[in-house]
């Protein structure tokens, strides 16, 4: 799935409820959850909660520039919880 924002304490969020609800339905029917989000989405929050951080199995993001301290800490929390974090270069 994709999202507009994610952080560890609030989980994965989006701006639009209908898109968020569709993503929740996808998650319910899936065995592995892949989150694809570019660097600008790391450690941010939006209106509608899609799922908790612990529901993500794989987090795929980029590093178009150096991660901020807050972004690095967010990714570290995901890793420490067992999420496979992949940073594309």
């Amino acid at each position: 799935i994709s999202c507009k924002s994610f952080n560890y304490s609030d989980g994965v969020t989006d701006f639009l409820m209908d898109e968020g609800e569709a993503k929740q339905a996808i998650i319910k029917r899936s065995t592995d959850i892949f989150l694809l989000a570019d660097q600008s989405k790391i450690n941010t929050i939006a209106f509608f909660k899609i799922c908790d951080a612990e529901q993500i199995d794989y987090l795929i993001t980029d590093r178009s520039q150096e991660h901020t301290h807050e972004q690095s800490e967010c990714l570290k929390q995901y890793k420490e919880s067992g999420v496979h974090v992949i940073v594309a270069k």
Side-chain angles (χ1 to χ4, degrees):
I1 62 171
S2 62
C3 68
K4 298 294 185 238
S5 57
F6 71 93
N7 65 58
Y8 192 77
S9 59
D10 298 301
V12 181
T13 57
D14 213 321
F15 289 117
L16 301 175
M17 190 178 343
D18 59 339
E19 286 185 23
E21 288 173 341
K23 291 171 186 178
Q24 287 175 335
I26 291 168
I27 289 169
K28 270 186 160 177
R29 304 279 300 174
S30 301
T31 54
D32 290 322
I33 308 302
F34 290 77
L35 175 64
L36 180 62
D38 68 61
Q39 180 177 355
S40 69
K41 313 294 192 311
I42 303 171
N43 205 44
T44 59
I45 188 169
F47 167 72
F48 186 83
K49 183 170 185 168
I50 298 170
C51 68
D52 292 325
E54 294 83 7
Q55 291 178 261
I56 302 300
D57 297 298
Y58 295 88
L59 191 164
I60 304 166
T61 189
D62 68 337
R63 189 162 102 178
S64 56
Q65 57 186 334
E66 197 66 32
H67 286 144
T68 66
H69 173 73
E70 291 80 11
Q71 289 174 328
S72 295
E73 286 299 309
C74 178
L75 294 177
K76 180 180 173 187
Q77 288 177 304
Y78 273 85
K79 285 180 190 175
E80 288 175 349
S81 73
V83 175
H84 301 279
V85 176
I86 301 163
V87 179
K89 296 178 181 169

